[in-house]
Amino acid sequence: MSSNPAMRVLEWLLRRVVVGPPLRAWVRLRVEGAEHVPATGPVIIASNHLSFIDSMVIPLAAGRKVGFLGKAEYVTGTGIKGWLGRLWFGEFGGMIPVDRSDARAAARSLELAEEHLATGGAFGIYPEGTRSRDGLLHKGRTGVGRLALASGAPVVPCALIGTDRAQPVDARGIRPHRVTVRFAPPVDVAALEAQHVKGKLLRAITDEVMDAIAERSGQTRSADFAARPGASAPLG
């Protein structure tokens, strides 16, 4: 949360009055396992990725601001559009901007996530690396494992159901369709560390996350990585 009192008030209004309640009602949001998300302190929320609105739904379901890496242009625009982008993605969504045209900035994705967690923030990551366009749950990339080991933050798997119906890929508007968010207990990273060496440990953590998501989302699994349109997503 911002240290600026005015920004804290604005965030509260967006979350509690202007955006949060209407969005929650529009998608008939149902949350299960919210007790697994700590109310304060660092936590990594690792989720499947079905829709553009996932990064808005997860903070609502978690009950706290959740930082996600996103395109810097979402919050650097000018005029009314730029102002709205900063409100929507920055103050409400908690987006951490990354200039994907700058290879050095994109390479710092893990560092940016670690810095956010070090301040006690919640950080959201999509291990598939991009939205699933075929509805399958694809093989997870090991960025979530690297981040867990580097930060020491607990990893809470998260399964989203219905966001692809509420806002299909490439659709602009949000449709009135029920969305369910299911949080799983944190992954026992310490137990996995006792069983695996570094290379296999990253894969073991990631697979544990994806198994928990699959169990709660009901998605059909894919042994392949998701195809990424355009630039690669950080931390994938």
Side-chain angles (χ1 to χ4, degrees), residues 98-235:
V98 175
D99 182 359
R100 295 187 181 181
S101 65
D102 184 341
R104 290 174 301 177
R108 282 197 68 236
S109 294
L110 182 62
E111 293 177 27
L112 291 172
E114 285 183 60
E115 290 169 6
H116 182 76
L117 290 164
T119 66
F123 182 79
I125 183 172
Y126 302 114
E128 290 171 279
T130 188
R131 282 173 280 176
S132 173
R133 291 178 174 264
D134 55 15
L136 299 177
L137 183 65
H138 292 270
K139 185 176 181 179
R141 300 174 187 271
T142 57
V144 63
R146 296 199 309 273
L147 184 57
L149 294 178
S151 67
V155 184
V156 174
C158 172
L160 298 173
I161 303 168
T163 55
D164 54 334
R165 299 290 186 87
Q167 188 180 39
V169 175
D170 298 328
R172 289 183 178 272
I174 302 175
R175 302 171 183 176
H177 188 281
R178 178 176 289 284
V179 168
T180 300
V181 181
R182 292 175 176 152
F183 295 107
V187 171
D188 191 344
V189 174
L192 294 174
E193 283 186 286
Q195 300 173 45
H196 304 281
V197 294
K198 187 66 178 286
K200 291 184 178 179
L201 176 58
L202 296 178
R203 173 48 56 191
I205 295 171
T206 304
D207 288 348
E208 190 92 359
V209 167
M210 301 311 292
D211 288 347
I213 292 173
E215 181 181 341
R216 289 160 180 80
S217 71
Q219 289 172 277
T220 300
R221 303 288 293 270
S222 170
D224 300 321
F225 292 114
R228 290 173 170 177
S232 297
L235 285 182

Side-chain angles (χ1 to χ4, degrees), residues 49-67:
H49 196 11
L50 299 169
S51 171
F52 183 75
I53 65 168
D54 293 346
S55 299
M56 302 303 296
V57 168
I58 290 173
L60 276 181
R64 58 182 296 189
K65 196 169 184 177
V66 180

Side-chain angles (χ1 to χ4, degrees), residues 34-112:
E35 68 275 9
H36 299 308
V37 181
T40 60
V43 61
I44 300 165
I45 298 178
S47 176
N48 56 334
H49 196 11
L50 299 169
S51 171
F52 183 75
I53 65 168
D54 293 346
S55 299
M56 302 303 296
V57 168
I58 290 173
L60 276 181
R64 58 182 296 189
K65 196 169 184 177
V66 180
F68 289 87
L69 297 179
K71 297 178 182 178
E73 52 263 39
Y74 288 153
V75 295
T76 56
T78 58
I80 295 296
K81 184 177 180 181
W83 181 75
L84 288 174
R86 283 186 288 278
L87 283 181
W88 180 260
F89 295 106
E91 295 309 318
F92 180 81
M95 194 192 82
I96 301 169
V98 175
D99 182 359
R100 295 187 181 181
S101 65
D102 184 341
R104 290 174 301 177
R108 282 197 68 236
S109 294
L110 182 62
E111 293 177 27
L112 291 172

